Amino acid sequence: MRIATWNVNSIRSRIDRVAAWLERSDVDVLAIQETKAREDQFPLERFEALGYEVAHHGLSQWNGVAVVSRVGLEDVRVGFDGQPGWGEPAAPEARAIGALCNGVRVWSLYVPNGRALDDPHLGYKLSWLEALAAAGRGWLADDPDAQIALLGDWNIAPTDADVWSVPYYEGRTHTSPGERAAFQAVVDAGYSDVVRPHTSEPGTFTYWDYTQLRFQKRQGMRIDFALCSPALAQRVVGAAIDREERKGKGASDHAPVVFQVGEASGSDA
C-alpha cells in the first residue's frame, strides 16, 4: 500500500495537478493539508472519478484537511481529544482529520504555523502539539499494536539538517527549541519518522518558499513528515519525496511525501 501526504496550498487551485499526480504516482491513500475550502467547495467529484473516497474537513478559505483513499475509508474522526482552539472565543480549526484505510488509521494534520517567536500563535502551536502527543500516547496505550500514521505539514524542522541554513533561521519559528521539543514529544510518545531513513541525503527538503528563487537555489526545509506507530513503522519498506512535483507552473510550495507499506503478518494490507 502506498501512502502519501501533501500540503497542496489550495485544492481548488491545484486540483488538476493533484489529480494528475494521483494517476501517475499510484498512491492508495493521500493525506492533504491546506485545502483552503469549505465542504461545499471541495472538488469531490474529481477524486471520485479516479476511484477515491474522500473525508474532508474545511471551515473557510484557510486551513482545511482531507484523507482520500481507494482502499477503504471508515470511522472518520474530525479532530482529536484535547485539540485546542484559536480565536475569541477559542474554537477548534480545520487542522486534523483521521480515517481508517485498509487497517491503517491515517491522520492528516496541519500543525499551526507559529508565525513569530513573540506571537501568541506560537503558544497555540505548542499547546496543539502537546495535545497531539497526549492523544497519540493514549492511542498506543489503548492498543500497542495499532497501525497509526500521523501525516502532514508539521511546520517544524526538527534538526539542523532539515533547513538549508541554520543561521538564517536563528530567531525564527520552525527551528526554535520549544518547537523542536514539541515535535520530539510526539516521537517520544511512540511515533517514528519513517521517511528520513530512505531520504537522508543532504539538502533533501519538502518545502521551498515561493520568493527569492528558493526552490531553484535549493534553499528549502523539511517540514512535512510521516510519523508512524511501531506496528506500522516496521512495515514500511521505502519512502521518497517527490521533488519534481514542486516544479512548473501552478505548483504548491510543498512536495508530496510518499512511503510504501508492505503486507502485515497474516493480512493482505
Side-chain angles (χ1 to χ4, degrees), residues 241-265:
I241 297 167
D242 191 351
R243 187 179 185 276
E244 292 297 306
E245 193 54 39
R246 177 60 175 80
K247 297 179 179 179
K249 183 179 180 180
S252 170
D253 44 3
H254 295 252
V257 177
V258 187
F259 63 101
Q260 180 76 32
V261 176
E263 291 188 5
S265 300

Side-chain angles (χ1 to χ4, degrees), residues 59 82-93 124 127-128:
L59 302 174
Q83 180 180 330
W86 177 253
E88 291 293 341
E93 296 182 300
Y124 167 51
S127 296
W128 201 94

Side-chain angles (χ1 to χ4, degrees), residues 114-119 122 160 165-177 179-180:
R115 299 177 182 171
L117 295 183
D118 59 354
D119 194 296
L122 180 58
D160 288 352
S165 169
V166 173
Y168 177 82
Y169 287 101
E170 288 183 3
R172 301 172 186 257
T173 59
H174 291 62
T175 62
S176 71
E179 290 166 286
R180 286 180 167 179

Side-chain angles (χ1 to χ4, degrees), residues 66-78:
V67 175
V68 304
S69 170
R70 65 181 185 184
V71 291
L73 189 73
E74 302 173 331
D75 191 20
V76 175
R77 301 179 186 178
V78 173

